[in-house]
């Protein structure tokens, strides 16, 4: 299996004004509306896994990354208040510390107490207790027959192991063996919308998002290299297996879905 390759950034397009401490994002905001020319793509100005962190003041402040745990390269992403998803080939050990930071950099610590492979390169993990409000739980896209075609060409927020946000595009969605759907990303430097990155070893499991109704919606966690590809979280079969795994692993809550625009 091809693993994650070399870094290759390109320049941001100019897109708008200043940022407040926690900027508001309208319900009509798309990923392409968010980048600001030449802004640093980092989520944090200063990251501290053992305490509170300082958030960056660039355009990435518009992105709510509070549901992503970056204290280990094997990234965990909240889909319920007590469940996270990871790359199945790059899971954290059991038990291990899972650290989140809210929009103001306040640290929250949990313990990963169990994990289970779901389908393809998707695994779900159980936290020792739910996270409180103030830490983002990311919804998934509601499945529909032509969803893959509808989101083709859509700009996507792509995260990496260095706690940065890049802007790629959906190249397509396709079924693999065992009815497993993968989403494939691309970037086009000529469009000049967001820094792009060729994913490298250690980026596996980091999440990608589209914006729907003003909130980030999880569509992928990195499985392989290039501009990125991974399990498509808008797939009905994956969601059915994910529901079953969450019930099997225990804990409270179930993931939420939102309809594409």
């Amino acid at each position: 299996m091809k693993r994650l390759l070399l870094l290759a950034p390109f320049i941001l397009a100019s897109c708008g004004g200043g940022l407040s401490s926690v900027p508001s994002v309208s319900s009509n905001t798309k990923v392409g509306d968010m980048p600001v020319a030449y802004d640093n793509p980092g989520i944090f100005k200063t990251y501290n896994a053992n305490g509170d962190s300082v958030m960056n003041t660039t355009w990435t402040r518009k992105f709510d990354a509070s549901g992503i745990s970056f204290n280990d390269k094997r990234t965990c992403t909240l889909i319920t208040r007590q469940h996270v998803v990871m790359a199945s080939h790059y899971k954290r050990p059991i038990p291990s510390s899972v650290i989140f930071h809210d929009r103001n950099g306040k640290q929250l610590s949990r313990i990963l107490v169990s994990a289970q492979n779901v389908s393809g390169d998707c695994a779900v993990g159980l936290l020792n207790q739910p996270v409180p409000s103030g830490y983002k739980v990311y919804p998934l896209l509601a499945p529909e027959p032509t969803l893959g075609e509808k989101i083709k060409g859509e700009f996507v927020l792509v995260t990496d192991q260095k706690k940065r946000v890049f802007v790629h595009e959906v190249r397509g969605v396709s079924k693999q063996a065992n009815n497993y759907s993968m989403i494939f990303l691309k970037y086009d430097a000529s469009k000049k919308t967001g820094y792009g990155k060729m994913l490298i070893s250690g980026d596996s499991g980091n999440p990608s998002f589209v914006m729907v109704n003003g909130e980030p919606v999880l569509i992928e966690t990195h499985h392989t290299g290039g501009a990125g590809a991974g399990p498509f979280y808008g797939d009905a079969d994956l969601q059915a297996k994910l529901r079953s795994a969450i019930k099997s692993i225990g804990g409270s809550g179930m993931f939420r879905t939102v309809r594409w625009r």
Side-chain angles (χ1 to χ4, degrees), residues 70-169:
F70 288 110
N71 65 299
D72 188 300
K73 288 183 179 180
R74 293 164 289 192
T75 307
C76 293
T77 303
L78 286 169
I79 58 166
T80 80
R81 297 229 168 264
Q82 200 173 358
H83 299 90
V84 295
V85 287
M86 303 170 281
S88 60
H89 82 268
Y90 205 44
K91 296 190 298 290
R92 294 193 193 188
I94 308 299
S96 60
S97 175
V98 182
I99 303 297
F100 302 96
H101 289 85
D102 73 8
R103 302 301 308 275
N104 294 308
K106 182 175 176 58
Q107 189 239 40
L108 177 73
S109 179
R110 291 292 184 265
I111 303 297
L112 186 70
V113 294
S114 184
Q116 183 174 312
N117 290 347
V118 177
S119 178
D121 202 14
C122 171
V124 65
L126 176 68
L127 305 179
N128 63 320
Q129 58 181 302
V131 304
S133 61
Y135 295 86
K136 182 64 179 173
V137 173
Y138 302 104
L140 314 180
L141 289 175
E144 52 181 292
T146 59
L147 182 58
E149 284 301 311
K150 287 181 177 179
I151 65 171
K152 192 173 182 179
E154 192 71 24
F155 287 117
V156 176
L157 299 169
V158 174
T159 63
D160 79 343
Q161 64 185 292
K162 293 187 176 180
K163 310 169 189 68
R164 299 175 295 186
V165 187
F166 302 91
V167 182
H168 293 188
E169 293 178 70

Side-chain angles (χ1 to χ4, degrees), residues 24-37:
S24 60
V25 177
S26 83
S27 61
N28 296 320
T29 298
K30 297 180 180 180
V31 171
D33 301 324
M34 296 172 73
V36 175

